[in-house]
């Protein structure tokens, strides 16, 4: 019984991890439409691909290759396969380095002249 529960739980996790909502698919498609300048037909097909495939899967990439022009596909690959920089958490404030002190020319002081 425990084994069946464990399998059911693992299947649920796997399905929920790969599922994407319509809103997420729409956001992804809107971004791609902006970056790749999709026409209306491409937009609808890309939306269905984003909705039905796991992000960054080989199946999704091959489906997009059939919909996009070669130039659009090359740009898609360049945008999605670039090295990612870890995002800075919203609560983390990035502080700039302090400004360097201005350079002051050397001035010769007379000994004892400053005290009278």
């Amino acid at each position: 019984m425990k084994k069946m529960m464990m399998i059911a739980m693992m299947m649920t996790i796997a399905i929920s991890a790969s599922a994407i909502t319509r809103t997420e698919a729409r956001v992804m498609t809107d971004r791609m439409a902006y970056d790749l300048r999709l026409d209306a037909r491409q937009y609808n097909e890309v939306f269905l691909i984003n909705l039905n495939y796991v992000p960054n899967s080989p199946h999704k990439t091959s489906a997009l290759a059939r919909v996009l022009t070669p130039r659009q596909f090359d740009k898609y690959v360049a945008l999605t396969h670039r090295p990612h920089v870890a995002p800075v958490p919203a609560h983390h404030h990035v502080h700039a380095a302090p400004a360097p002190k201005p350079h002051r020319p050397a001035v010769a002081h007379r000994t004892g002249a400053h005290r009278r």
Side-chain angles (χ1 to χ4, degrees):
M1 183 68 174
K2 286 183 182 180
K3 189 174 184 178
M4 292 297 287
M5 290 291 288
M6 184 64 118
I7 291 172
M9 188 170 67
M10 288 173 49
M11 296 267 302
T12 304
I13 291 170
I15 291 170
S16 64
S18 65
I20 186 168
T21 66
R22 292 182 72 80
T23 303
E24 291 169 327
R26 183 71 62 201
V27 169
M28 288 172 58
T29 307
D30 287 346
R31 183 64 199 185
M32 291 173 73
Y34 177 79
D35 289 339
L36 306 175
R37 301 183 185 269
L38 303 177
D39 61 30
R41 180 193 59 81
Q42 288 175 315
Y43 183 92
N44 291 329
E45 291 184 34
V46 168
F47 172 73
L48 292 174
I49 291 169
N50 285 335
L51 186 62
N52 294 316
Y53 289 100
V54 177
N56 299 325
S57 72
H59 299 293
K60 177 180 177 179
T61 304
S62 63
L64 287 171
R66 289 190 294 272
V67 174
L68 302 175
T69 66
R71 179 181 240 161
Q72 288 171 323
F73 184 74
D74 289 344
K75 188 170 183 180
Y76 166 77
V77 169
L79 290 172
T80 57
H81 294 92
R82 62 182 174 215
H84 292 284
V85 177
V88 177
H91 65 277
H92 179 75
H93 299 286
V94 178
H95 299 286
K101 293 182 179 179
H103 175 69
R104 294 185 182 178
V107 178
H109 293 286
R110 289 183 288 174
T111 309
H114 64 283
R115 291 186 172 242
R116 288 197 184 203

